[in-house]
Amino acid sequence: MFTPQGPSLRELTVQALSSVEHGYDLLASKFDATLFRTSDRLLIAVTGTLKTLGPFDSGLDVCCGTGAGLGVLRSVCAGRVTGVDFSTGMLTRARNAHPTADLVRADALALPFAPAFDLAVSFGAFGHFLPADQRTLFAQVHVALRPGGTFAFPLPAPPPVGSRLYWTLWGFDAAMRVRNAVWRPPFVMYYRTFRLADVRARLEAAGFEVSLTPVETLGRREDGSPHCRLVVARKK
């Protein structure tokens, strides 16, 4: 998952043998040249969908990385936007791209915010949280939102069972589990631990009311289902 301008295979290997935090510090300067970065196509599509759900004032990008989601918040929020991440290297890149945003270094499992935000988003970070930690993450976001606030994030449809992408993701997760069984510190990054039914139940347990909004500009599959849904969790 790299380009000629991005990190080499050796650099990605070194990252994968580090902790999650240190790995992203190492990758930060070249992260936006990898396929791990959320695509502009998805960011634009989510922005358009969020605009139909607003208006929003203040916004929070959870696990903001180099700041791709901060641009989404800028487009849909009238007030201040904030990004939080635990990688100093990624935050440095985000600060260069979004100098007027508030950027905070913190663990998403211990967010340092009182209820202050109308909208929270997150892009591409959930594979770094084991199922048990997802409950804590959602509870932390719930605390950071004002009453009636919204936590929204895209959730692509799972690949068809037996497809090339299905086996690619299955193989990646299997390799990561073997790596974490034999190497420390662990590097938590899985693609198949964020299933819609489980996510919905965990959000509801955290105190959210959950609905799904198709991201129509990304199209639909042959069976008529959307390629991507926006999970919309509102704080009661």
Side-chain angles (χ1 to χ4, degrees), residues 40-234:
D40 288 337
R41 181 170 180 258
L42 178 59
L43 294 169
I44 292 168
V46 169
T47 298
T49 305
L50 281 172
K51 285 181 176 179
T52 69
L53 303 176
F56 304 104
D57 186 14
S58 56
L60 174 66
D61 185 2
V62 180
C63 304
C64 67
T66 57
L70 293 172
V72 174
L73 293 178
R74 285 262 181 243
S75 297
V76 301
C77 293
R80 297 288 296 177
V81 301
T82 300
V84 60
D85 202 282
F86 73 167
S87 166
T88 300
M90 299 291 271
L91 286 173
T92 297
R93 303 293 292 184
R95 188 168 290 107
N96 291 338
H98 302 276
T100 62
D102 296 326
L103 296 174
V104 178
R105 183 178 180 275
D107 188 340
L109 299 179
L111 292 175
F113 305 116
F117 300 100
D118 299 294
L119 173 66
V121 298
S122 192
F123 294 90
F126 296 123
H128 294 302
F129 299 92
L130 295 172
D133 289 333
Q134 291 169 15
R135 300 177 187 276
T136 303
L137 174 66
F138 295 159
Q140 289 290 299
V141 175
H142 188 272
V143 169
L145 289 169
R146 293 173 178 148
T150 300
F151 181 28
F153 51 86
L155 191 61
V161 175
S163 66
R164 177 179 295 180
L165 180 57
Y166 173 89
W167 288 116
T168 298
L169 298 182
W170 190 95
F172 182 91
D173 281 12
M176 289 303 295
R177 292 186 186 282
V178 171
R179 177 255 185 247
N180 289 333
V182 301
W183 193 270
R184 292 291 183 273
F187 191 97
V188 177
M189 185 174 180
Y190 300 111
Y191 285 101
R192 301 178 67 249
T193 59
F194 205 70
R195 299 177 178 88
L196 177 56
D198 297 332
V199 169
R200 184 167 198 154
R202 290 167 190 149
L203 285 166
E204 290 172 346
F208 288 103
E209 293 180 344
V210 182
S211 62
L212 303 174
T213 300
V215 183
E216 293 291 3
T217 54
L218 294 180
R220 290 181 173 264
R221 304 200 294 182
E222 291 183 0
D223 63 3
S225 63
H227 281 296
C228 183
R229 293 179 173 88
L230 193 68
V231 178
V232 181
R234 296 193 185 276

